[in-house]
Amino acid sequence: MSPFHVPSEAIILERIQESPNIFTLRLQFADNTQAFKFMPGQFNMLYLYGVGEVAISIVSDPLDDHFFAHTIRVVGRTTEGLSKLKARDCVGIRGPFGRGWPMLEAEGKDLLLVTGGLGCAPLVSVIEYIMRRREQFAHVDILQGVKHADDMIWRKRYAQWAQAPDVNVLLTADLPDHVNWPGDLKGNVVQLFKRLDLRPDNSLAMLCGPELMMKAAITELQQHNMSDDNIWLSLERNMHCGIGQCGHCQMGEKFVCKDGPVFAYPEISANFHLDSI
Amino acid sequence: MSDIDGQTQDRQIPDKAVFLPLAQFQQFLELVQQRYKIIGPVVKDEAIQYQPINDIHALTRGIRVEQNPGQYSLEASDNNLFFAWSNGAQALKPLLFSPKESLWQAQRDEQGRLGFVALTAKPTATAVIGVRACDLAALALQDQHFLEKAQPDPQYQARRQALFLIGVDCTHPANTCFCAATHDGPALQTGFDIALSELAEGFLLRPGSRQGRALLAQLDLAPATATQQKTATQAIQRAADMQQRCLPEDNSHQQLYNQAEHPHWQAIAERCLACGNCTMVCPTCFCYSAHTETALDGGNATQVRQWDSCFSHGHSNLHGHPVRADIKSRYRQWLSHKLTGWLEQFGKSGCVGCGRCITWCPVGIDLTAEAQHLTQPGESV
Ligand SMILES: Cc1cc2nc3c(=O)[nH]c(=O)nc-3n(C[C@H](O)[C@H](O)[C@H](O)COP(=O)(O)OP(=O)(O)OC[C@H]3O[C@@H](n4cnc5c(N)ncnc54)[C@H](O)[C@@H]3O)c2cc1C
Ligand code: SF4
Ligand code: SF4
Ligand code: FES
């Protein structure tokens, strides 16, 4: 039975409430004899019994190959139902799907990690990955923008990451002036770029979040002389299959689920700028 | 049964056609029937449909099809041929990629533990008679989409392996057919087990696979005469010459994404109803959506897939809003994917020239005319 066509049972080991509407599930396959191999940036299809499947990024580290974790925002029927599950409840898992972040290419380079909204989910796995292998990468800038202060999950982890050697964490929120906010700045995450000391020749940028934010970030990076080849981004589309078959996730001639969700910018630059593509 | 490898490996020398007199057509069908359930073209609900048949009298005969943008009708023909018509709304696609089917079932026990069972199709060996060149070209693309990958689709694969294809060269294309322009017809090229060319006095038969050759060997037929061969070839040539429509000849339609901002998309959107008929009848369209159907007692739930269309409202939903909110962007998605996106995805255009989307469009939108318009030089953008 193909693990990509039919789900396998997974058991919830732990459920963590990250913010009022964001939670994390730590999971283990019921049949845990084989290691679960994946790369940061890949995703699973999570099945809630009787309700349906949703695409969710894997946020845990590939070295922990006998359990894995998903961080989920409640937005609709399935995610709401998933949020009601507790430890020892079961879900179905198909995956892992897609192509993850270019971790080999990133080795030895300065990394610029830019996220917005819950866009942080696919990137959190990368950050964890980098932190556990800190010596393989040069300077790291982490730029996180959020819409609501509530979204600023993993605050402790951001603080921890900021303590690591040669890691610069900048946080910003798109909030009105009167709202109290403990981050570095208010406003768009792209505004943080001017605070950076980029070395365009030896940097690799990874972007994740709303498409408007990523488009603005790309323009900004190009102005900082970053070559397009070194700009990577994770896209999101409606997904029903994860294996390049149902057609829902297409963007131009790409199947986001299997050709991506992580793309080097030149791979999609021909169409990415178009509206409603 | 179709054996794609068998077809290529076995065909170093093209097989000579043999002649099946009309009087033996029923016998031929019975021979096929010994191994396969037969599906063939019949007249049903004022259209040609592919249905199970038991003898040749059930088949279409002496009819022709009038097809124009937004219009389909059957007429009496001036001959008594079985296959002197072009395609109906559907042919092979629903037999392989089912309009609605179950994928797997989840079972939940009292402790809340989940079990999953694949519900793979268990098809009976089926022969389809009367398959057209355009449909075989579309089948090759669907094979590529569902099978030629590390993890082939189990449902499609099971049905595909059970299929035996008896094709027929087209001699009477509809006004909407343009397979000659896409190089997919009207003559059968590959992908059949047996090919038929229909003459007034019978059929020329040639095998396209090991299974087809084995079946023909049981019939002890005389080789086709040179005159018969010539008559058949001329009929196909006439069928090609009759076709009027074509895609832009300079292949500019292969770069439709470059025309994404063309004002003509809006003009099309003002006519298009976003009904999705074109995607339902198109033999290459593959979109589906999946949903869960729960048993009334709650003890199990079945994951079901169903044809979907890039024209449907929910197709591109993301964070509560469709990425392609208006008809303009949906038509653009459909046509640009079909004529351009497929080239990168499959190495070939997604249009095989069958003309179905022209016929079955309620407002008669003609993709060949729209593609010409969208790629015309000098159009202000
Ligand atoms: C590659 C990928 C990775 C993702 N990773 C995460 C993650 O790590 N954490 C997380 O919380 N979410 C993630 N998502 C988004 C998640 O899939 C959707 O939020 C989820 O499908 C909504 O399902 P629902 O049944 O709860 O909502 P629904 O009731 O289906 O809908 C709620 C709203 O969300 C929209 N929606 C439906 N399907 C999707 C979809 N596939 N993507 C986005 N919006 C959708 C609907 O249009 C609807 O308006 C990811 C999506 C993709 C494509
Ligand atoms: S796009 Fe139209 S003409 Fe082309 S294969 Fe599909 S239905 Fe036939
Ligand atoms: S498009 Fe060509 S092969 Fe298909 S029905 Fe018409 S004439 Fe026949
Ligand atoms: S999610 Fe089905 S094709 Fe990508």
Side-chain angles (χ1 to χ4, degrees):
Chain A
M1 218 161 63
S2 148
F4 303 109
H5 286 117
V6 180
S8 306
E9 185 191 24
I11 300 165
I12 298 172
L13 299 177
E14 189 185 1
R15 182 193 181 285
I16 303 150
Q17 193 71 39
E18 307 278 6
S19 85
N21 63 356
I22 299 174
F23 62 99
T24 295
L25 298 179
R26 281 186 67 230
L27 295 149
Q28 184 170 52
F29 282 108
D31 173 3
N32 197 27
T33 46
Q34 274 175 20
F36 183 56
K37 291 202 187 317
F38 61 89
M39 282 302 284
Q42 285 194 294
F43 65 96
N44 283 329
M45 295 298 288
L46 259 74
Y47 171 71
L48 175 65
Y49 179 78
V51 178
E53 291 187 302
V54 286
I56 305 286
S57 311
I58 310 171
V59 291
S60 47
D61 193 284
L63 278 182
D64 303 328
D65 57 7
H66 282 272
F67 84 91
F68 55 98
H70 290 292
T71 296
I72 304 167
R73 177 202 294 270
V74 177
V75 296
R77 217 157 75 91
T78 321
T79 45
E80 164 106 56
L82 287 167
S83 76
K84 297 194 172 123
L85 299 179
K86 328 171 283 299
R88 286 189 297 283
D89 285 342
C90 297
V91 295
I93 299 282
R94 289 193 296 126
F97 296 117
R99 181 180 65 169
W101 297 102
M103 299 321 298
L104 279 178
E105 259 192 82
E107 276 182 25
K109 293 200 171 134
D110 285 357
L111 301 181
L112 174 59
L113 311 174
V114 186
T115 76
L118 194 74
C120 57
L123 261 183
V124 161
S125 55
V126 155
I127 301 174
E128 294 283 10
Y129 184 98
I130 293 163
M131 294 303 161
R132 285 174 77 156
R133 301 157 184 81
R134 186 66 199 89
E135 69 295 343
Q136 291 175 19
F137 308 94
H139 178 74
V140 177
D141 284 307
I142 301 173
L143 274 54
Q144 159 85 29
V146 292
K147 260 221 190 93
H148 316 282
D150 279 353
D151 294 341
M152 199 49 246
I153 64 170
W154 297 303
R155 215 172 289 182
K156 268 199 219 131
R157 278 204 242 174
Y158 275 97
Q160 249 173 25
W161 294 332
Q163 301 303 312
D166 209 13
V167 174
N168 174 32
V169 176
L170 292 173
L171 306 175
T172 178
D174 243 337
L175 294 171
D177 287 340
H178 59 88
V179 179
N180 196 20
W181 159 248
D184 300 278
L185 198 80
K186 277 188 182 173
N188 195 300
V189 68
V190 176
Q191 294 168 338
L192 295 173
F193 281 48
K194 54 181 178 289
R195 298 197 179 187
L196 301 177
D197 186 16
L198 269 180
R199 293 192 301 164
D201 297 339
N202 191 42
S203 293
L204 193 139
M206 303 186 193
L207 320 176
C208 190
E211 286 184 16
L212 276 178
M213 178 283 278
M214 294 198 282
K215 285 174 187 170
I218 289 164
T219 309
E220 195 71 20
L221 288 169
Q222 287 168 331
Q223 278 163 12
H224 280 83
N225 296 321
M226 277 280 287
S227 119
D228 286 356
D229 294 332
N230 290 322
I231 304 176
W232 293 75
L233 55 165
S234 181
L235 294 187
E236 218 184 286
R237 279 291 178 276
N238 190 304
M239 293 189 181
H240 285 227
C241 73
I243 51 175
Q245 220 167 258
C246 74
H248 280 268
C249 68
Q250 291 178 90
M251 200 215 63
E253 70 287 3
K254 300 291 185 211
F255 291 100
V256 173
C257 69
K258 89 173 154 81
D259 300 327
V262 174
F263 292 97
Y265 181 55
E267 296 176 311
I268 53 162
S269 57
N271 296 325
F272 187 57
H273 65 279
L274 294 171
D275 282 337
S276 312
I277 182 79
Chain B
M1 282 175 240
S2 298
D3 173 341
I4 298 161
D5 283 336
Q7 279 162 16
T8 45
Q9 283 163 16
D10 281 10
R11 285 207 81 197
Q12 290 100 354
I13 317 161
D15 284 284
K16 290 243 170 59
V18 290
F19 176 63
L20 177 81
L22 203 51
Q24 274 177 264
F25 189 29
Q26 176 66 25
Q27 188 199 338
F28 168 72
L29 216 68
E30 282 165 13
L31 187 64
V32 176
Q33 222 161 13
Q34 287 173 11
R35 292 192 54 187
Y36 305 99
K37 166 183 142 191
I38 302 185
I39 288 185
V42 303
V43 173
K44 197 181 163 199
D45 300 334
E46 293 169 58
I48 289 174
Q49 300 191 18
Y50 281 78
Q51 300 279 333
I53 57 155
N54 288 314
D55 65 77
I56 59 169
H57 302 295
L59 288 169
T60 49
R61 194 166 192 190
I63 54 155
R64 63 184 191 86
V65 182
E66 185 67 28
Q67 297 192 49
N68 285 301
Q71 189 237 327
Y72 181 96
S73 59
L74 298 183
E75 319 272 339
S77 129
D78 53 6
N79 60 53
N80 203 25
L81 298 173
F82 286 91
F83 302 107
W85 43 267
S86 60
N87 51 43
Q90 302 283 358
L92 293 176
K93 184 168 93 168
L95 301 176
L96 288 153
F97 169 35
S98 180
K100 186 179 178 189
E101 67 187 326
S102 303
L103 300 175
W104 43 265
Q105 193 177 70
Q107 284 145 3
R108 184 167 63 173
D109 70 12
E110 270 143 35
Q111 284 76 49
R113 297 295 303 268
L114 300 181
F116 296 92
V117 190
L119 300 176
T120 306
K122 292 185 189 65
T124 38
T126 302
V128 189
I129 186 166
V131 181
R132 306 304 167 123
C134 58
D135 289 317
L136 290 179
L139 176 71
L141 284 167
Q142 291 247 314
D143 281 354
Q144 217 176 321
H145 182 64
F146 287 106
L147 299 180
E148 289 170 30
K149 44 174 68 176
Q151 304 282 339
D153 184 71
Q155 321 297 103
Y156 187 98
Q157 189 173 42
R159 295 203 181 88
R160 184 69 178 93
Q161 284 167 349
L163 206 61
F164 184 85
L165 296 165
I166 305 172
V168 59
D169 288 321
C170 268
T171 51
H172 291 69
N175 278 338
T176 44
C177 291
F178 58 104
C179 60
T182 62
H183 307 291
D184 294 302
L188 297 168
Q189 292 161 24
T190 54
F192 53 83
D193 293 287
I194 294 178
L196 311 180
S197 310
E198 187 172 20
L199 306 174
E201 69 273 23
F203 297 92
L204 305 191
L205 269 53
R206 54 185 203 281
S209 70
R210 220 180 313 148
Q211 292 84 350
R213 192 168 302 113
L215 198 135
L216 287 189
Q218 295 179 51
L219 275 168
D220 191 29
L221 297 171
T225 65
T227 318
Q228 286 171 331
Q229 302 256 29
K230 197 166 157 207
T231 312
T233 315
Q234 281 171 344
I236 293 170
Q237 188 55 48
R238 256 196 323 276
D241 294 344
M242 274 160 71
Q243 298 184 10
Q244 307 280 320
R245 290 183 157 76
C246 63
L247 290 165
E249 286 185 354
D250 55 1
N251 289 345
S252 53
H253 62 288
Q254 298 184 350
Q255 279 95 43
L256 269 191
Y257 289 118
N258 294 345
Q259 303 298 333
E261 255 114 23
H262 200 294
H264 189 61
W265 294 112
Q266 187 53 43
I268 304 171
E270 274 151 30
R271 287 183 289 146
C272 174
L273 310 174
C275 66
N277 270 14
C278 49
T279 57
M280 297 295 111
V281 295
C282 180
T284 68
C285 274
F286 52 68
C287 280
Y288 64 82
S289 55
H291 66 270
T292 304
E293 292 181 359
T294 311
L296 286 179
D297 68 3
N300 65 64
T302 304
Q303 196 71 0
V304 174
R305 77 170 164 205
Q306 198 165 4
W307 286 3
D308 198 357
S309 165
C310 52
F311 284 95
S312 74
H313 183 77
H315 189 276
S316 63
N317 259 357
L318 191 64
H319 310 141
H321 307 284
V323 171
R324 294 181 281 276
D326 56 3
I327 296 182
K328 177 176 116 181
S329 58
R330 292 186 201 167
Y331 191 87
R332 187 181 73 181
Q333 163 66 19
W334 183 68
L335 197 68
S336 308
H337 178 225
K338 191 68 58 185
L339 300 182
T340 307
W342 283 69
L343 286 171
E344 180 172 321
Q345 294 175 350
F346 302 96
K348 192 177 177 301
S349 155
C351 178
V352 296
C354 76
R356 287 186 174 94
C357 57
I358 306 173
T359 300
W360 298 96
C361 172
V363 296
I365 294 175
D366 174 348
L367 84 163
T368 62
E370 306 311 344
Q372 302 277 7
H373 210 118
L374 287 159
T375 53
Q376 234 145 57
E379 185 87 21
S380 67
V381 173

